[in-house]
Amino acid sequence: MEGGFLVLDFGSQYTQIIARRLRELGVFSELIPFDLDLAEIKRRKPSGIILSGGPSSVNEDQAPLRSVAELAQIAPLLGICYGMQLIASQLGGQVESADRREYGLNIVKWKKKFGAVPQEQNVWMSHGDVVKKVPPGFQVAATSGFDYPAVILSDRVWAFQFHPEVSHTDHGLDLLKAFVFDLCQAQANWQPTSITTHLLETIRKQVPEKEHVLCALSGGVDSTVVGTLLTKALGAQRVHCVFVDTGLLRKNEFSQVLETYRTLGLNVKGVDASATFLSRLGGVADPEKKRKIIGHTFIDVFKESIKGLGSIDWLAQGTLYPDVIESISLRGTSVTIKSHHNVGGLPKDLDLKLIEPLRELFKDEVRAIGKELGIAHDVLWRHPFPGPGLAIRVLDEITPANLDILKEVDAVYIDELKAKGLYDKIWQAFCVLLPVKTVGVQGDSRTYERVVAIRAVTSSDGMTADWFAFPPEFLRQLSNRITNEVKGVNRVVYDVTSKPPGTIEWE
């Protein structure tokens, strides 16, 4: 589409969010590889070009590079994080490794008023290099808390060292608006079709008549929406849902969720494979090995589940964009953060085609789709739960004893959140069983028992997150309940790490 915006992907975890934010502003945007042919970029006649962030340093031998000057001749440029460093290094500035890295929440100070943006602005950063020398023709419009250039501007090229696209940057959308409508002089004249309508049409085109789909359900929001979406598009007789009890679900979760699925009208079969999963995971502590074992075991269970269902042609999964971008690079040069059991294709011997309708969407978009499909609020707003389940929340070997402790702690935690009206204010809350024992005193006796970590974060899409500031009274009450009610635990700690530098899950 001519006149839209092109986002060049240099491998940032947040690249897809940039394109989404522009669409929210009413302008068409498209993600393209950073090295797309210049002639093709010219042919598309973009109103503006955005250079994304990325994990590389512009000073590395294998850094993804291209001519910034050539791009600036086509349309106004905006560089974000790595994009800013690329602009600076190629246009006569200097980029060096920072003495002090800037990750997570930071404050930038604007030298003068910039539209609706306050002169001290909270932003989200994730970088180790900084601009030491600004290119000729640029001015430093804002600096970071360490006095590094945070915003540099010229007549045709802007660059931000932070990420305006993420939800944790205050007034980030105002900055993108200024680039789109002030610098690029674009018009808000693009309207997307309903995502739900588009997905239903896409599914019907992708899956030929009379072909059947096996839908893997995890108990989470994503797979629930996928199962409901497919059933609405193709009918319950062609969509065979399987909900597997891995033994890694939360307390009483299998029976409760299975009943919810049946209430939604899904053609669902419950499979108790807990013995198989726990047997294969026995003695395994390494998180990547856990994920791979779980992924392979899921495939084996699905193979067995196909028997008796007749002809199955497709396997559906509730994979989301954050899963994909942490596991593999879609268009750019992003690094693998951790493997996701539902990302990376299917084994050839499974002989099924893969359908992932939500693959380039975010959690809040998925919930909006679920609402359109009539899924109840309490189902849609369940906190995210990882496909590998409690296996990656036991930072130790997977044993029935470890799982029992974690299930009981988790039940107390969620009960307290709901009782105090905090559950819906939090994006995700969970407990982690640590491979640590500490000395305690209970009943006038010495104990030497386990430590659990409590995690609670706020977010809108899972790409960035900040820890939730609980009232001290809540933490005191929660710790008291856990150490009194759960045998084997004598210490509770709270995780106050944002994403970045941490991830939401611990493994």
Side-chain angles (χ1 to χ4, degrees):
M1 176 178 175
E2 292 185 5
F5 285 77
L6 298 180
V7 181
L8 274 61
D9 185 3
F10 287 91
S12 170
Q13 303 291 311
Y14 312 134
T15 304
Q16 181 84 353
I17 306 179
I18 302 171
R20 177 185 168 184
R21 295 290 179 248
L22 297 186
R23 293 194 295 269
E24 290 173 356
L25 294 177
V27 295
F28 178 78
S29 65
E30 185 177 2
L31 294 185
I32 61 174
F34 76 91
D35 55 357
L36 185 68
D37 185 71
L38 187 68
E40 176 60 21
I41 293 176
K42 288 180 178 178
R43 187 190 68 78
R44 301 190 189 194
K45 298 180 180 178
S47 297
I49 299 172
I50 298 179
L51 313 181
S52 83
S56 303
S57 166
V58 294
N59 297 318
E60 294 174 354
D61 291 339
Q62 301 301 317
L65 304 175
R66 71 173 302 151
S67 171
V68 170
E70 289 178 342
L71 295 173
Q73 292 177 357
I74 299 172
L77 297 186
L78 171 62
I80 296 174
C81 197
Y82 176 87
M84 171 168 165
Q85 296 157 14
L86 183 64
I87 288 169
S89 66
Q90 290 207 359
L91 297 184
Q94 185 177 350
V95 175
E96 295 180 2
S97 178
D99 296 330
R100 291 175 288 188
R101 299 178 302 176
E102 295 175 315
Y103 292 143
L105 187 64
N106 282 269
I107 294 176
V108 300
K109 297 180 180 180
W110 290 80
K111 294 184 179 295
K112 61 180 182 181
K113 187 71 173 172
F114 189 91
V117 181
Q119 286 193 262
E120 286 198 6
Q121 178 189 6
N122 292 325
V123 302
W124 214 253
M125 290 184 166
S126 184
H127 63 98
D129 285 357
V130 293
V131 175
K132 288 283 187 169
K133 178 184 175 184
V134 177
F138 282 79
Q139 60 170 319
V140 177
T143 56
S144 71
F146 292 147
D147 207 31
Y148 297 132
V151 179
I152 59 174
L153 306 175
S154 74
D155 291 341
R156 192 169 173 82
V157 181
W158 291 3
F160 304 146
Q161 189 58 81
F162 54 88
H163 289 273
E165 70 273 23
V166 303
S167 59
H168 285 88
T169 290
D170 293 347
H171 296 275
L173 202 59
D174 289 327
L175 295 172
L176 292 176
K177 281 182 182 177
F179 173 72
V180 168
F181 300 122
D182 296 340
L183 185 62
C184 299
Q185 295 292 299
Q187 300 295 317
N189 55 12
W190 181 77
Q191 288 292 330
T193 57
S194 162
I195 294 178
T196 305
T197 300
H198 171 73
L199 290 178
L200 290 171
E201 293 172 352
T202 300
I203 290 167
R204 291 177 185 127
K205 290 177 182 177
Q206 187 174 358
V207 181
E209 288 186 21
K210 298 183 179 180
E211 290 194 353
H212 288 239
V213 180
L214 179 67
C215 183
L217 300 177
S218 69
V221 174
D222 311 328
S223 64
T224 301
V225 170
V226 166
T228 308
L229 194 66
L230 287 164
T231 300
K232 185 174 179 64
L234 306 175
Q237 297 307 310
R238 295 174 60 196
V239 181
H240 308 269
C241 299
V242 176
F243 179 41
V244 178
D245 184 358
T246 62
L248 305 169
L249 299 173
R250 289 165 289 202
K251 186 177 180 180
N252 300 325
E253 187 168 30
F254 183 64
S255 58
Q256 292 170 356
V257 173
L258 195 58
E259 180 59 30
T260 296
Y261 285 147
R262 287 170 176 155
T263 302
L264 287 171
L266 302 185
N267 177 12
V268 61
K269 174 183 178 182
V271 177
D272 183 356
S274 55
T276 301
F277 277 89
L278 296 184
S279 173
R280 294 185 182 183
L281 286 166
V284 178
D286 180 80
E288 285 296 292
K289 288 182 180 178
K290 289 178 187 176
R291 290 175 180 274
K292 287 180 170 56
I293 289 170
I294 291 167
H296 293 150
T297 305
F298 265 119
I299 296 299
D300 291 343
V301 171
F302 294 144
K303 282 182 183 178
E304 189 66 26
S305 300
I306 291 173
K307 296 177 182 179
L309 294 179
S311 176
I312 298 292
D313 309 280
W314 298 80
L315 175 66
Q317 294 186 151
T319 309
L320 299 193
Y321 179 76
D323 301 335
V324 175
I325 197 61
E326 285 191 336
S327 297
I328 59 175
S329 175
L330 282 181
R331 302 172 184 82
T333 55
S334 63
V335 298
T336 298
I337 305 300
K338 57 189 176 185
S339 298
H340 287 261
H341 79 283
N342 58 340
V343 176
L346 294 172
K348 292 182 180 179
D349 63 346
L350 192 56
D351 197 29
L352 293 177
K353 294 168 281 189
L354 185 62
I355 182 168
E356 297 173 308
L358 311 179
R359 187 178 175 86
E360 294 199 11
L361 299 178
F362 297 90
K363 183 76 71 176
D364 56 330
E365 294 175 304
V366 172
R367 284 179 168 137
I369 292 167
K371 185 177 180 180
E372 279 194 59
L373 293 172
I375 300 175
H377 176 89
D378 61 339
V379 176
L380 290 177
W381 286 93
R382 292 185 73 206
H383 290 177
F385 187 65
L390 299 182
I392 58 169
R393 294 177 180 174
V394 174
L395 308 195
D396 200 349
E397 295 183 4
I398 303 302
T399 66
N402 283 341
L403 288 170
D404 286 345
I405 289 174
L406 188 56
K407 288 179 182 181
E408 292 300 325
V409 173
D410 178 86
V412 172
Y413 187 23
I414 300 304
D415 181 64
E416 276 296 303
L417 289 174
K418 291 182 176 179
K420 299 299 188 296
L422 295 171
Y423 186 85
D424 286 344
K425 296 179 180 180
I426 294 168
W427 161 268
Q428 189 171 3
F430 59 91
C431 310
V432 180
L433 183 65
L434 304 185
V436 175
K437 287 187 175 182
T438 64
V439 173
V441 55
Q442 292 171 300
D444 294 327
S445 299
R446 178 188 184 274
T447 62
Y448 190 58
E449 294 180 332
R450 302 298 292 270
V451 181
V452 293
I454 303 302
R455 181 81 159 137
V457 298
T458 58
S459 184
S460 64
D461 47 40
M463 296 301 293
T464 58
D466 203 4
W467 57 278
F468 185 79
F470 281 120
E473 296 78 12
F474 175 85
L475 292 174
R476 183 177 292 109
Q477 169 71 10
L478 177 63
S479 177
N480 187 59
R481 279 198 62 187
I482 290 172
T483 54
N484 276 274
E485 297 178 27
V486 183
K487 292 182 179 180
V489 176
N490 69 358
R491 194 174 299 270
V492 179
V493 298
Y494 186 46
D495 180 356
V496 291
T497 311
S498 62
K499 176 185 179 180
T503 55
I504 295 176
E505 294 283 350
W506 279 42
E507 287 191 343

